[in-house]
């Protein structure tokens, strides 16, 4: 969802919105995979992060604060932003190949991620390759 698309979405929204975007974590992983270290160092200062996929398409990656700003600027009241999933599909596949009975452990890890305040992750820090937000029209 680009900034110019958020406005029209707001005008037609009657209830709640569920939106999913690529996270900065995904963008950083794609850049690191290609060894584009100079681009990685620019990310903390970037207003907009556009990352090319290997197939030539481009994705916009959001941090929590950027995603929040996009939704609130469109006139929405954000109720939550969280990672869609913490464990990547490749991690899940790797673990299950090595330990077929590990599904319960993976689910527990997914549910507990980000819940431990002692771990040091703040509410504005994202993990996972996608962010999901719920929002509603301001009254």
């Amino acid at each position: 969802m680009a900034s110019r698309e958020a406005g029209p979405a707001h005008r037609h929204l009657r209830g709640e919105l569920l939106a999913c975007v690529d996270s900065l974590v995904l963008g950083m992983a794609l850049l690191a995979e290609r060894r584009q270290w100079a681009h990685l160092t620019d990310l903390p200062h970037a207003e907009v992060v556009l990352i090319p996929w290997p197939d030539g398409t481009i994705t916009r990656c959001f941090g929590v604060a950027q995603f929040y700003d996009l939704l609130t600027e469109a006139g929405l009241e954000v109720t939550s932003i969280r990672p869609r999933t913490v464990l990547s599909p490749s991690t899940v596949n790797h673990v299950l190949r090595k330990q077929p009975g590990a599904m319960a452990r993976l689910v527990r890890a997914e549910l507990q991620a980000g819940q431990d305040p002692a771990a040091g992750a703040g509410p504005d820090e994202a993990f996972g390759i996608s962010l999901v937000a719920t929002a509603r029209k301001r009254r």
Side-chain angles (χ1 to χ4, degrees), residues 21-99:
V21 296
D22 291 332
S23 75
L24 283 177
V25 172
L26 174 65
M28 290 186 294
L30 290 170
L31 291 173
E33 189 175 81
R34 294 187 204 117
R35 301 188 188 300
Q36 295 179 335
W37 309 120
H39 297 294
L40 271 170
T41 59
D42 290 338
L43 283 182
H45 310 290
E47 288 280 327
V48 175
V49 179
L50 300 174
I51 305 292
W53 281 93
D55 67 2
T57 59
I58 296 175
T59 186
R60 180 174 178 187
C61 297
F62 291 83
V64 172
Q66 293 168 325
F67 196 20
Y68 179 85
D69 290 346
L70 173 71
L71 296 169
T72 56
E73 287 170 9
L76 299 170
E77 180 185 333
V78 178
T79 52
S80 73
I81 297 178
R82 57 174 290 135
R84 186 182 80 195
T85 182
V86 176
L87 302 172
S88 70
S90 61
T91 299
V92 172
N93 288 336
H94 174 77
V95 169
L96 291 177
R97 263 194 310 271
K98 299 248 182 214
Q99 301 170 10

